Amino acid sequence: MSGLGVRNLLALSATAIGAFYLGSHTKRERLQQSSSHVIRHFPGLPTFGTVSAASLVPAANSANLTATPSRVSQIMKYGFPGLDHVRSHSDYVLSYDRRNRIPHWVFEHLTAESVARNDAVDRSKCDFKPDESIHPFFRSQNTDYRKSGFDRGHMAAAGNHRLHQKHCEETFYLSNMAPQVGQGFNRDAWNSLEMHVRKLTKSYTNVYVCTGPLYLPHKEDNGKMYVKYEVIGSNTVAVPTHFYKVIVGEATDHKLHMEAYVMPNKVISNDTPLNVFQVQPETIERAAGLLFFDQINRNQLTSINGNKI
Amino acid sequence: MSKRKAEETSIEMASGAEKISIKTNFTIGLTEPLKEYQKLIETEVQVDEIVDDEIIKNNFEGIAAAARDVIWQLLFAGSDGDGGVTSESQQKASELLEEYKGDATFYDPWEYNDWITKLRDEVLKKELLDFWRDTIVKKQLGPCWSRDCDLFDGDDTPPLEFYAHGGCTAPFAASLKVRAANKEVRASDASDADSSREPPEGEERSAERSADDEAAYTGVFDAVITREQPLSEYRDLMTRFVLTDVIVPDEIQQASVKKIAKAAQDVIWQILFEGAPSQEDQDKAADLLQEYKTDSGFYGPWEYNKWIFKLRDEVLTKELIDFWREKIVKLELGPCWSRDSDFFENDDDVPLEFYNKAGCKAPFNPPADT
């Protein structure tokens, strides 16, 4: 009886040890094989040097083609709104919302030079493409957007990144898109807001802008509040109810000016002036669950939405 | 990086996509071109599986090229300037062109935009003016732009010139004029409209409200409830000093709730036991008691659960039997338990005992498992 038990135990442990060694061996094999392949570098979060808010960032005279730590810390000078799945591209930084398949936020740093017309950048070579650095479960595809009634709407706008073709192309990753109403919004009112932000580089040395989606509640007939939004395609990409932009301009006298906008994701009449959509930045922070320009004490701002503080 | 490699998952997820591969030439026949085209798009382009983007692009390019060939054939083959093109084949060309443009706006407008100009020139040369007017111009099948394609935006130039042939103009020319006019008006408005904003609504009330908020924040206020309108006064105190939007330190809020609860207890006691309470008095007391009990269930039931025994004993001593039966028992104004309050769970004691006085019983059945 006990002899049988011992034999069983021996057989069992031999199997277990054998399996362990076999496993570790194959794993080593695989590692060796994979190391002979080229390892793809996904944009990650670089380490940051300290950035002093007292110094103006000089306009870059040459375009970085990779997400260098120095470029990223320039863009993120005033703090990260959040740290969920942050990806840095050569000219903008993005936090990806895997559940909704669109960004939480994107951050950009614009100068007059980076938004200037540039014949070396050809929009027609840019293509909406799935972002393969996103796990396939959470990736949106062109198919999701096709015939959905929504545009592939840029969060980081293509027109903000004209220093180099690559900068522009990187804004066409579907991870930088959210479903936007096309005519009357993405190609009109929202586009006007993007142009307005670009125009700010005429008044400010540096313009920092954070853009992202909102899912705002509304009251239904029973008096209760609900958050309701459509999802499109087989990957159920969320259609946000609103979008925001929070902008800080650094003037030559080092003074800081903030503007904040929220626009509903629907057809907006062409004659609606932009300042109708200005809101207090705090309301966006509360709705988004993020803090924008956290490194700036709001008392340091000279103006918010054009009003003196 | 997670242990589960994205590549492995991709392979799993693309397992249904094996049938999709790079094909180099697609053909579309002349008999049912639209159907054939749609089927090709459906099977080779519009797939839900994860397929390499290059493959999709190549397939679309191939199908688009086949569509362009067929359209060209339908319109120009066999027509030697003597109208050898049947209306039927024009119809087919028109349908396919419309469908192809719809896809091109999504997948690849650039190729379309180049080619459609060539097609236009050929159409005009061959003097197919009906096709020009009724199909290309009317259905706006000229170059893709921001009106029909998300690869363009308001910065891009509208393709007005394309349509300005054969006595036609772009169908959208008028609306662009209106828009340009609006823009000018707006620009002049913007210059003289400086921030003369209306104060937000509720501005005039804010002074009063902030005094209440201040009191709520500090807990410094007098909780006065009189015999006349006890319920509405109680509610008013709760609304002003407890249910505020201001973030109040927890211990201060608790103290405020206690203070208002104490005032409620006192006034109930007064109404019931200072002289003989009329029916109206009893109703008032019961209304407040009910509201106070509900709030206790939320803010903390312990004080209520102690005090309600005292009240009950006094009610029975004073022989207010109606109040006991019709109010306390019937309205379940005894101690809070899991039916009234999330402070309790199902395995907590049920206050059956409390009601077993003066021939009454608890108005509820004990849970089955006790």
Side-chain angles (χ1 to χ4, degrees), chain B residues 348-365:
Chain B
D348 283 319
D349 289 342
V350 182
L352 291 165
E353 265 312 294
F354 176 89
Y355 296 96
N356 294 341
K357 299 277 173 193
C360 290
K361 261 180 51 190
F364 45 81
N365 292 320

Side-chain angles (χ1 to χ4, degrees), chain A residues 141-150, chain B residues 37 41 45-46 99 102-103 106-107:
Chain A
Q141 294 175 262
N142 276 313
T143 314
D144 296 319
Y145 284 88
R146 183 168 178 254
K147 301 208 168 158
S148 66
F150 294 99
Chain B
Y37 168 86
I41 292 286
V45 177
Q46 174 75 3
E99 182 78 8
D103 290 334
F106 188 84
Y107 288 109

Side-chain angles (χ1 to χ4, degrees), chain A residues 219-237:
Chain A
K219 209 186 225 105
E220 293 200 349
D221 291 343
N222 60 6
K224 298 183 182 182
M225 305 277 276
Y226 295 90
V227 173
K228 185 175 147 197
Y229 54 92
E230 188 181 342
V231 294
I232 56 172
S234 60
N235 293 306
T236 60
V237 181

Side-chain angles (χ1 to χ4, degrees), chain A residues 59-304:
Chain A
N61 15 359
S62 64
N64 286 319
L65 296 188
T66 51
T68 56
S70 64
R71 182 61 189 134
V72 174
S73 56
Q74 263 178 15
I75 298 169
M76 302 314 298
K77 174 175 174 181
Y78 291 116
F80 279 75
L83 289 171
D84 186 34
H85 293 276
V86 174
R87 299 183 134 58
S88 19
H89 294 284
S90 55
D91 205 35
Y92 73 97
V93 176
L94 171 145
S95 161
Y96 190 68
D97 179 352
R98 290 166 54 154
R99 181 153 69 92
N100 285 313
R101 284 89 168 141
I102 66 174
H104 286 297
W105 52 263
V106 302
F107 231 98
E108 299 164 275
H109 160 235
L110 316 181
T111 58
E113 196 191 3
S114 68
V115 303
R117 289 232 168 260
N118 180 353
D119 292 338
V121 175
D122 181 1
R123 272 284 294 273
S124 72
K125 289 210 178 65
C126 297
D127 233 338
F128 288 104
K129 50 189 177 292
D131 184 342
E132 303 204 336
S133 75
I134 307 274
H135 187 287
F137 286 1
F138 318 117
R139 212 181 280 167
S140 62
Q141 294 175 262
N142 276 313
T143 314
D144 296 319
Y145 284 88
R146 183 168 178 254
K147 301 208 168 158
S148 66
F150 294 99
D151 274 10
R152 293 159 289 189
H154 286 72
M155 293 293 94
N160 295 349
H161 305 277
R162 289 176 172 150
L163 278 178
H164 194 279
Q165 179 70 21
K166 185 162 186 278
H167 292 347
C168 182
E169 278 173 20
E170 284 182 351
T171 66
F172 278 81
Y173 280 120
L174 288 178
S175 53
N176 178 42
M177 302 302 155
Q180 288 187 322
V181 169
Q183 268 202 61
F185 185 73
N186 180 35
R187 307 174 206 162
D188 298 294
W190 183 249
N191 183 234
S192 309
L193 179 58
E194 287 174 343
M195 291 200 272
H196 166 75
V197 175
R198 287 197 277 278
K199 223 178 273 165
L200 291 176
T201 58
K202 291 188 168 56
S203 345
Y204 302 114
T205 325
N206 292 293
V207 173
Y208 298 86
V209 52
C210 185
T211 309
L214 292 172
Y215 313 90
L216 298 186
H218 65 279
K219 209 186 225 105
E220 293 200 349
D221 291 343
N222 60 6
K224 298 183 182 182
M225 305 277 276
Y226 295 90
V227 173
K228 185 175 147 197
Y229 54 92
E230 188 181 342
V231 294
I232 56 172
S234 60
N235 293 306
T236 60
V237 181
V239 181
T241 62
H242 296 70
F243 293 94
Y244 63 82
K245 277 187 188 285
V246 184
I247 306 141
V248 165
E250 283 177 349
T252 38
D253 58 4
H254 292 246
K255 288 212 164 86
L256 300 172
H257 300 266
M258 186 178 274
E259 291 182 17
Y261 297 85
V262 170
M263 275 192 181
N265 190 10
K266 46 170 104 129
V267 174
I268 293 169
S269 146
N270 259 309
D271 47 20
T272 319
L274 281 180
N275 61 11
V276 165
F277 302 104
Q278 288 184 334
V279 298
Q280 281 302 312
E282 290 81 9
T283 56
I284 307 180
E285 291 179 320
R286 287 171 185 275
L290 302 166
L291 295 174
F292 305 110
F293 299 93
D294 205 18
Q295 303 292 319
I296 303 175
N297 184 332
R298 292 279 146 93
N299 310 333
Q300 293 174 294
L301 295 169
T302 307
S303 73
I304 293 183

Side-chain angles (χ1 to χ4, degrees), chain A residues 270-271, chain B residues 172-186:
Chain A
N270 259 309
D271 47 20
Chain B
F172 46 80
S175 68
L176 286 177
K177 278 208 189 80
V178 171
R179 191 180 280 206
N182 277 344
K183 262 217 172 84
E184 274 171 35
V185 171
R186 264 225 309 276

Side-chain angles (χ1 to χ4, degrees), chain B residues 3 59 111 226 283:
Chain B
K3 281 271 197 312
N59 286 357
E111 190 70 39
T226 67
D283 290 346

